[in-house]
Amino acid sequence: MTTTTQTSTRAINSLAGEADALLISLGVKRSRYTGGKLIARSPITGEITGHVNEIGAADAQAAIDKAHAAFLEWRLVPAPKRGELVRLLGEELRANKQALGRLVSIEAGKIASEGLGEVQEMIDICDFAVGLSRQLYGLTIATERSDHRMMESWHPLGVTGIISAFNFPVAVWSWNAALALICGNSIVWKPSEKTPLTALATEALFDRALARFKAEGGKAPDALSTVLFGGREIGEILVDHAKVPLVSATGSTAMGRIVGPRLAKRFARAILELGGNNAAIVAPTADLDLTLRGVAFAAMGTAGQRCTTLRRLFVHESVYDTFVPRLKRAYESVTIGDPLKDGTLVGPLIDAAAFASMQKALSEARAAGAKVFGGERVFADGADEAYYVRPALVEISEQTGPVVHETFAPILYVIKYRDFNAVLDLHNAVPQGLSSSIFTNDLREAEAFLSARGSDCGIANVNIGPSGAEIGGAFGGEKETGGGRESGSDAWKAYMRRATNTINFGRTLPLAQGVKFDVA
């Protein structure tokens, strides 16, 4: 393969200097990212961009206690007023979209449009949450008793813990934070150790919005939003703290297996966004031009480091020999390199561990008899500590070995199929259940794919790829993906507690189910 590659000629410390300038412009004090033990490193060159101060265990406990005290105040603020704070946060994000988007690209290695797109997601969820702040509806319920009214009401839940991953370093925070805030909760965030600078920037923008909210007469406690920088120990404190009734955790299925039981042990709620071994089916009637674009972005975008990345592709035998060669040519022509340069479509993997995981999966695929196209490292000038790879297209005859496991890298396994019902079974025969697609112009196939016997994923699409969800729909998946839902639809209910209320406005006391209990 002859994938076009850009090499980096950036001077030493140039990214550190740019990150510094961006952080200052976003309102972050230099002392927050100098002199600390948590190293921030850009995957673009491998260069160190900051040293962030970590928090100790005792201070983390104290911060959560303060967040709980803040919740006790914030829950009393009317929801539409809470929405005003989120509106101001959206304004700060709009005004600083370019700077924060650029910082996302530097720290997570995303191409420029994806860095900006992540900030746009933050803006979108703020808009969604502001409207929602006037729509936290309960139900009026029919009652069997005369002169009674029954209804449900929704109340703030408490401190919302957020544990986020490197691949969407700020958007995942916003999905949870915007809804938690309008629902009356305070928030405590443990960002990924791999992306602390974007968390500092987000914290600074929230503080600006909070200052404006107070200046305009709003009432809000200071510890409404807290960021905890640290490793696993800090995450465990957040998961185990009795004053955190809800934790939204994004990461691997292995992480979820630890977090879920620990939360269940103390009867806390979990929103788990875990692994995704996402698949697409290319049917005989598929529009192959449209399909090519959908598959290419879903499989190679963000260097394969999205939870919704396309990892398995089932292609019908009647179009396989036409479509797969075209897909290979797309893989050969995609531009790999510095994500900050115009024209780049595939940036770096996050670190050496991601590269090693990718190579291990490809080795296993070869051992299973697969044909592997691409997958090797591309060395950029002056960036030996950066890990750029050619996206890998792997033709394999069976869904076996590494195919059933999620590898967080740009590997697309391509399998030929003949029978539609059989391929539906293959599609669903993996432990994960996040996102899925079918490319078809056959109405029956499309509807079957969306039906109860079709895709078992939380997201099922027709004629678009599995990657790139919108804010309006609830995001999340089934099985080992964790079952959590964030963002749109009625996901707000996870951040609140429900009460069923019955009011007797009569002068008698009829009991439900006809029970009689008369006393003198």
Side-chain angles (χ1 to χ4, degrees):
M1 298 178 72
T2 57
T3 309
T4 303
T5 305
Q6 292 180 351
T7 56
S8 175
T9 56
R10 294 180 179 276
I12 273 294
N13 296 324
S14 63
L15 286 180
E18 184 173 2
D20 175 69
L22 289 168
L23 287 164
I24 294 297
S25 75
L26 290 163
V28 181
K29 295 180 179 179
R30 189 170 283 122
S31 59
R32 297 295 306 279
Y33 56 91
T34 56
K37 294 182 179 180
L38 179 57
I39 295 175
R41 189 185 299 272
S42 174
I44 297 174
T45 62
E47 170 185 343
I48 293 175
T49 51
H51 296 81
V52 176
N53 293 305
E54 295 182 291
I55 194 169
D59 288 339
Q61 295 276 4
I64 294 171
D65 288 337
K66 290 179 181 178
H68 176 70
F71 155 70
L72 296 179
E73 292 184 40
W74 186 241
R75 65 180 177 172
L76 303 179
V77 175
K81 296 292 186 183
R82 302 192 296 250
E84 177 64 11
L85 171 58
V86 176
R87 184 186 70 79
L88 293 172
L89 174 59
E91 286 189 359
E92 292 296 332
L93 290 166
R94 278 186 172 87
N96 294 278
K97 178 178 176 179
Q98 294 296 322
L100 183 55
R102 183 79 172 183
L103 190 62
V104 168
S105 290
I106 289 172
E107 190 166 52
K110 293 189 174 186
I111 63 173
S113 64
E114 289 195 81
L116 293 172
E118 180 159 352
V119 183
Q120 187 60 50
E121 282 194 55
M122 302 174 79
I123 295 167
D124 292 345
I125 193 62
C126 286
D127 288 349
F128 181 90
V130 171
L132 187 62
S133 68
R134 294 180 181 271
Q135 300 177 72
L136 302 177
Y137 298 137
L139 298 173
T140 299
I141 304 164
T143 172
E144 65 189 60
R145 289 171 282 190
S146 299
D147 297 332
H148 283 60
R149 180 166 64 88
M150 189 161 56
M151 65 179 188
E152 69 175 25
S153 53
W154 293 85
H155 302 294
L157 181 63
V159 178
T160 297
I162 304 170
I163 299 174
S164 61
F166 77 86
N167 60 326
F168 279 86
V170 291
V172 169
W173 172 83
S174 70
W175 299 347
N176 288 278
L179 295 189
L181 287 167
I182 63 102
C183 288
N185 302 334
S186 59
I187 49 180
V188 177
W189 179 24
K190 184 207 167 299
S192 170
E193 301 97 302
K194 299 178 182 181
T195 51
L197 301 185
T198 46
L200 284 172
T202 301
E203 178 187 38
L205 293 179
F206 178 83
D207 287 345
R208 283 185 184 176
L210 185 62
R212 289 178 59 191
F213 180 73
K214 292 179 178 180
E216 294 173 10
K219 295 182 178 180
D222 290 334
L224 192 54
S225 177
T226 305
V227 184
L228 306 179
F229 293 102
R232 178 170 177 164
E233 179 189 15
I234 301 304
E236 289 176 342
I237 290 170
L238 189 58
V239 168
D240 293 337
H241 202 291
K243 292 179 180 176
V244 183
L246 169 66
V247 173
S248 175
T250 300
S252 67
T253 296
M255 179 270 287
R257 291 190 192 282
I258 297 170
V259 169
R262 291 177 77 146
L263 290 170
K265 185 177 181 179
R266 64 180 181 87
F267 302 104
R269 296 186 194 176
I271 299 175
L272 298 178
E273 299 288 359
L274 310 175
N277 194 354
N278 314 292
I281 297 170
V282 182
T285 62
D287 179 332
L288 297 186
D289 291 335
L290 180 150
T291 303
L292 182 68
R293 294 186 63 201
V295 168
F297 169 69
M300 293 187 282
T302 326
Q305 297 172 121
R306 287 181 178 230
C307 50
T308 54
T309 291
L310 177 60
R311 309 198 184 281
R312 297 175 295 136
L313 185 67
F314 300 101
V315 183
H316 193 268
E317 61 181 9
S318 66
V319 295
Y320 190 96
D321 291 339
T322 301
F323 181 72
V324 174
R326 290 186 61 187
L327 184 59
K328 289 178 182 177
R329 289 195 292 272
Y331 268 62
E332 290 171 349
S333 66
V334 72
T335 302
I336 305 166
D338 185 341
L340 301 179
K341 289 186 176 181
D342 292 341
T344 300
L345 294 180
V346 178
L349 296 177
I350 190 66
D351 55 22
F355 176 73
S357 177
M358 180 179 182
Q359 297 311 303
K360 181 176 181 292
L362 293 177
S363 179
E364 292 173 355
R366 291 187 184 96
K371 296 179 181 179
V372 177
F373 299 84
E376 68 273 19
R377 186 177 178 187
V378 177
F379 291 92
D381 293 345
D384 290 345
E385 296 302 316
Y387 290 84
Y388 294 85
V389 294
R390 301 181 191 277
L393 189 154
V394 180
E395 291 186 272
I396 192 166
S397 59
E398 296 182 24
Q399 183 165 268
T400 186
V403 184
V404 298
H405 303 292
E406 180 190 33
T407 302
F408 219 59
I411 302 175
L412 179 64
Y413 299 102
V414 183
I415 301 173
K416 185 185 296 185
Y417 83 92
R418 175 178 296 175
D419 178 73
F420 180 70
N421 290 322
V423 81
L424 279 182
D425 291 339
L426 273 178
H427 176 282
N428 294 341
V430 294
Q432 309 86 357
L434 178 52
S435 193
S436 59
S437 297
I438 187 170
F439 291 90
T440 182
N441 285 318
D442 185 322
L443 178 63
R444 291 183 178 87
E445 286 182 333
E447 291 294 338
F449 185 75
L450 302 180
S451 74
R453 70 181 179 91
S455 169
D456 63 358
C457 296
I459 300 169
N461 298 329
V462 177
N463 290 333
I464 65 169
S467 191
E470 293 185 33
I471 286 303
F475 181 89
E478 302 300 324
K479 302 188 294 187
E480 289 188 2
T481 301
R485 293 296 186 274
E486 295 170 319
S487 191
S489 186
D490 64 347
W492 62 271
K493 293 180 178 179
Y495 303 86
M496 304 195 81
R497 61 179 179 87
R498 177 184 354 215
T500 300
N501 315 123
T502 304
I503 302 99
N504 178 1
F505 56 89
R507 296 184 180 278
T508 60
L509 189 67
L511 301 178
Q513 294 86 48
V515 172
K516 300 294 184 181
F517 196 87
D518 297 325
V519 294

